[in-house]
Amino acid sequence: MSKFALNTALPRYLRDTQQRVEAVARDYGLDFFPVIFEILTYDQMNEIAAYGGFPSRYPHWRYGMEYEQLSKSYEYGLSKIYEMVINNNPSYAYLLEGNSLTDQKLVMAHVYAHVDFFKNNFCFRSTDLDQKGNIIDPVRKTTPYDPDRRWIDKMANHGARVARHIERHGINKVEDFIDRCLSLENLIDPWQPFSGRGAAKKGDEEEDEKPIEVPRLRAKEYMESFINPEEYIEAKKKQLAKDKPERKVPERPERDVLGFLLDHAPLERWERDILEVIRDETLYFVPQRQTKIMNEGWAAYWHSKILTEKILDASEIIDYADNNAGVMATAPGRLNPYKLGVELFRYIEERWNKGRFGREWEECNDLDAKRSWDMRLGLGRQKIFQVRALYNDVTFIDEFLTPEFVLEQKLYTFGFSGRNDRFEIESRQFRDVKEKLLFSLTNFGDPYIRVVDANHQNRGELLLEHQHGGVDLRADYARETLVSLVRCWKRPVAVATRLDNKPVLLRYDGKEHSMTPYKL
C-alpha cells in the first residue's frame, strides 16, 4: 500500500467536517486516541480490508483470496465497505471515495465512538504493547492514558520477518507451515493476559531452582567436617534429587495451546518465529471478537446522537435515515450486532434514567406500577459509560438482557427442521433466547481444548482434552487439527473427547488416524 500513501489525504472540506465531528464527540464526553482519516478508492479499500484493516501484513495466499472475494462482492452489488478503523494509537480510519457528505459524516461519528471504545474498554488493555507482565487490574490506568499501540508498525515488522524466512527456506515450505499455524490460531487462552498466571509460573520456576537442602547434625565448628562430611552431604543431595518426583508438564491443564507449543515443541528457529507471529496477531484481534455487539452498538448509539442532534441539517436527515436503516436492518435467521447492541444500550440508559433497577424494582410485582415507574434519577448516561468500560459481550448480555427487552425486540431462537426441510422458529421464551445467545458468544463458539500431558504414556506424545459442553467435535475438523498439531509437535498427538456421549481418544501418529475408547 506504500504507493498509495501520497494519495489518501482528506480534502479540505472533509478535514473541516472531521474537526467539527471531533469537537462534538468530545463535548458528549467521548475520550479517544488521535484519529487519522484517509480516503481510499474501492480497490484500495478492498485491499486494506483483505489485510484485516492494515496497510501491510505478512505475505500469504489467503489475503489475495479475500481480496478477490471482496472485489467480486462489490462488483455484483452484494456488499459495500463504508469504513474501517484500526485499534492503534494514533488510530487510523478509512473513508470510501465517492460516498456522499452525509455518509462521510456518519462514518466519522461512528469511528470516533469506536476509538473511544478501543481506548476505554478493559478488554483492549491486552493490546497495550508497553504493558509489563499480566494485567492484574484492567480498570486502573495511568493518567493521562497514552499507551503504546503501534500495531501498524508491529504488523509491518511481522511481514518483514516472514518475508526473510521465505527468502531462506522457499515460499512453499513457509506457506505450508503458516497454513498449519492458522488452522490452530483459535487454540489460545483469550483471558491469559488477565489471568495473573505468568507471575505464578515464574515464582514456581524460581522455587524449583533453589538448591536442595540436606539436614545436618548439630556440631561445633571444629567437628563439622567429621560429623557432616562433604562426601555424605553430596551423596544425600543426589539421593534426594533422584527421589524427587518428576514434574508433570504441564503441571495443570494449559488452555493456551499455541503458547505451550512455543515453549515446548521441538520447532526450528524459523518455525518458532512464525508461530509467534500468528499467536501475537491472533491475540490482537481477540478483544474485537469479545466485544463485537457492544462495540458496534456503542458506535451506532453515538453516531445517531451526534448526527441527529448536532451535525446534520434538515436537508440531510432523510439520506441519513435511509443509510442508518440499512445498517440497522434485521432479517429472519440473522443476528445484527449493530441493532442488538444499540437497542440494549438505549434500554440500559432508559432504565437507569427512570430508576428501574435495584431491590425495590426487582421485588415489585405490580405490572401497572412497573409500566409507569419513573424516579427521574437521570443516571442513564453515566451508566452506559460505565458499561462501555467494564463489560464484554458475554457479561453485557448476561446482566442486561431481560424478559421485557426480549419481548419488545421480538427475539427468538431458530433451528433447522428435518421434518419440513427448512429453518424454523424454535422458541420465543426468554431463557431459551438468552442461553442461545450466550452459548454462541462464549469462547466465540469454538470448542474448549486444553493441553493436559506433554509425555502421554511416557512416550513423548501430546495429550489434549476437549471440555465437552454438549456439542461433539466435528470429525473432519478434529482430524485436520491433529495433523497440524503433529506438524508442530513432531510426535503423535491425541485429544480426549466424547462422541455420541461415549469417551474416546482421537489420535494421529503422523501416518494414520485412530479412535479408541478412553476413560476421562
Side-chain angles (χ1 to χ4, degrees), residues 247-300:
R247 288 183 60 182
K248 182 181 178 183
V249 179
E251 288 190 319
R252 52 189 170 186
E254 178 62 59
R255 187 176 169 191
D256 186 3
V257 179
L258 289 191
F260 184 85
L261 292 175
L262 278 172
D263 292 337
H264 300 282
L267 298 169
E268 296 181 32
R269 181 179 296 179
W270 70 270
E271 294 173 331
R272 196 177 305 279
D273 192 37
I274 287 177
L275 184 58
E276 184 178 16
V277 166
I278 300 298
R279 181 173 177 270
D280 284 349
E281 296 197 3
T282 300
L283 289 172
Y284 167 82
F285 288 106
V286 161
Q288 299 178 42
R289 299 178 67 191
Q290 290 172 326
T291 59
K292 178 68 174 179
I293 293 173
M294 284 187 68
N295 201 343
E296 297 298 354
W298 183 253

Side-chain angles (χ1 to χ4, degrees), residues 34-245:
V35 180
I36 300 172
F37 283 94
E38 296 185 354
I39 191 162
L40 306 180
T41 64
Y42 297 112
D43 287 338
Q44 290 172 324
M45 185 70 87
N46 288 332
E47 185 174 345
I48 289 284
Y51 277 129
F54 288 88
S56 179
R57 298 284 296 277
Y58 59 83
H60 191 249
W61 59 266
R62 67 169 177 155
Y63 298 126
M65 181 186 69
E66 291 175 7
Y67 172 79
E68 189 68 17
Q69 183 179 2
L70 289 168
S71 298
K72 289 290 188 290
S73 182
Y74 171 75
E75 289 173 9
Y76 298 150
L78 301 176
S79 66
K80 180 180 178 181
I81 302 171
Y82 282 89
E83 57 85 21
M84 280 185 297
V85 58
I86 301 175
N87 170 31
N88 196 78
N89 184 14
S91 290
Y92 282 80
Y94 306 103
L95 304 176
L96 183 60
E97 182 184 75
N99 278 350
S100 67
L101 181 57
T102 303
D103 287 341
Q104 306 294 31
K105 290 178 179 179
L106 186 155
V107 168
M108 287 179 179
H110 195 84
V111 162
Y112 277 113
H114 271 315
V115 179
D116 169 85
F117 196 91
F118 293 153
K119 183 176 180 180
N120 295 285
N121 183 268
F122 83 96
C123 292
F124 289 87
R125 291 288 307 282
S126 64
T127 62
D128 292 355
L129 295 174
D130 53 356
Q131 175 66 42
K132 305 298 183 183
N134 284 20
I135 304 168
I136 306 301
D137 187 355
V139 181
R140 184 180 300 171
K141 298 182 293 188
T142 58
T143 304
Y145 180 53
D146 187 28
D148 177 6
R149 291 192 189 172
R150 290 176 293 183
W151 278 92
I152 288 183
D153 296 342
K154 191 173 180 65
M155 295 289 188
N157 290 337
H158 287 171
R161 286 160 63 179
V162 174
R164 284 198 299 269
H165 296 314
I166 289 175
E167 289 179 2
R168 294 173 183 172
H169 304 283
I171 189 168
N172 292 331
K173 186 175 182 179
V174 172
E175 278 203 339
D176 178 69
F177 186 70
I178 292 176
D179 291 342
R180 292 302 176 189
C181 293
L182 289 174
S183 69
L184 304 174
E185 66 177 345
N186 64 326
L187 299 181
I188 58 171
D189 182 358
W191 296 113
Q192 190 273 333
F194 305 98
S195 67
R197 290 182 59 183
K201 286 181 180 179
K202 184 177 180 181
D204 293 342
E205 290 174 0
E206 290 176 353
E207 184 177 343
D208 290 339
E209 292 173 0
K210 291 181 180 178
I212 299 174
E213 294 292 337
V214 177
R216 293 171 177 261
L217 297 174
R218 294 183 63 181
K220 293 183 178 181
E221 185 176 351
Y222 68 90
M223 292 293 292
E224 177 68 22
S225 60
F226 297 97
I227 303 299
N228 299 299
E230 287 300 324
E231 298 81 2
Y232 167 79
I233 297 298
E234 290 300 322
K236 199 67 177 176
K237 282 183 179 180
K238 291 180 181 179
Q239 184 63 40
L240 289 174
K242 185 178 180 181
D243 295 342
K244 186 178 179 180

Side-chain angles (χ1 to χ4, degrees), residues 306-453:
I306 290 170
L307 293 183
T308 57
E309 294 183 1
K310 300 289 185 179
I311 297 297
L312 299 180
D313 56 42
S315 65
E316 298 173 303
I317 290 293
I318 298 300
D319 286 340
Y320 161 74
D322 181 50
N323 293 337
N324 190 61
V327 173
M328 299 298 163
T330 58
R334 183 173 67 90
L335 176 68
N336 185 337
Y338 294 83
K339 177 67 172 175
L340 178 59
V342 71
E343 293 297 345
L344 200 46
F345 270 117
R346 288 170 178 165
Y347 178 67
I348 294 167
E349 184 178 31
E350 181 185 23
R351 284 182 59 193
W352 262 256
N353 277 337
K354 295 182 176 181
R356 297 180 176 182
F357 61 92
R359 182 174 179 180
E360 189 177 353
W361 165 261
E362 297 294 338
E363 292 179 352
C364 179
N365 296 319
D366 188 338
L367 293 181
D368 289 332
K370 281 198 166 187
R371 288 193 191 98
S372 59
W373 191 294
D374 189 355
M375 300 177 67
R376 300 186 180 182
L377 298 181
L379 299 174
R381 184 67 56 82
Q382 177 184 339
K383 182 62 180 179
I384 62 173
F385 271 96
Q386 181 189 62
V387 170
R388 169 267 267 148
L390 302 178
Y391 289 77
N392 58 54
D393 283 348
V394 173
T395 54
F396 184 59
I397 297 296
D398 188 41
E399 182 159 346
F400 298 110
L401 193 78
T402 65
E404 294 82 10
F405 182 83
V406 169
L407 182 63
E408 178 185 337
Q409 297 297 321
K410 301 179 181 179
L411 300 179
Y412 58 85
T413 66
F414 66 94
F416 188 79
S417 172
R419 182 179 61 183
N420 297 322
D421 198 28
R422 64 183 181 186
F423 285 94
E424 294 181 348
I425 294 176
E426 292 181 334
S427 174
R428 295 184 184 272
Q429 297 298 313
F430 166 70
R431 182 178 295 277
D432 296 334
V433 171
K434 186 172 182 178
E435 287 182 355
K436 191 93 170 187
L437 268 173
L438 291 176
F439 186 82
S440 65
L441 294 171
T442 302
N443 201 41
F444 322 122
D446 294 331
Y448 281 89
I449 305 293
R450 306 184 301 175
V451 178
V452 293
D453 193 356

Side-chain angles (χ1 to χ4, degrees), residues 1-8 44 47:
M1 289 300 296
S2 58
K3 62 183 178 180
F4 301 126
L6 300 178
N7 304 320
T8 58
Q44 290 172 324
E47 185 174 345

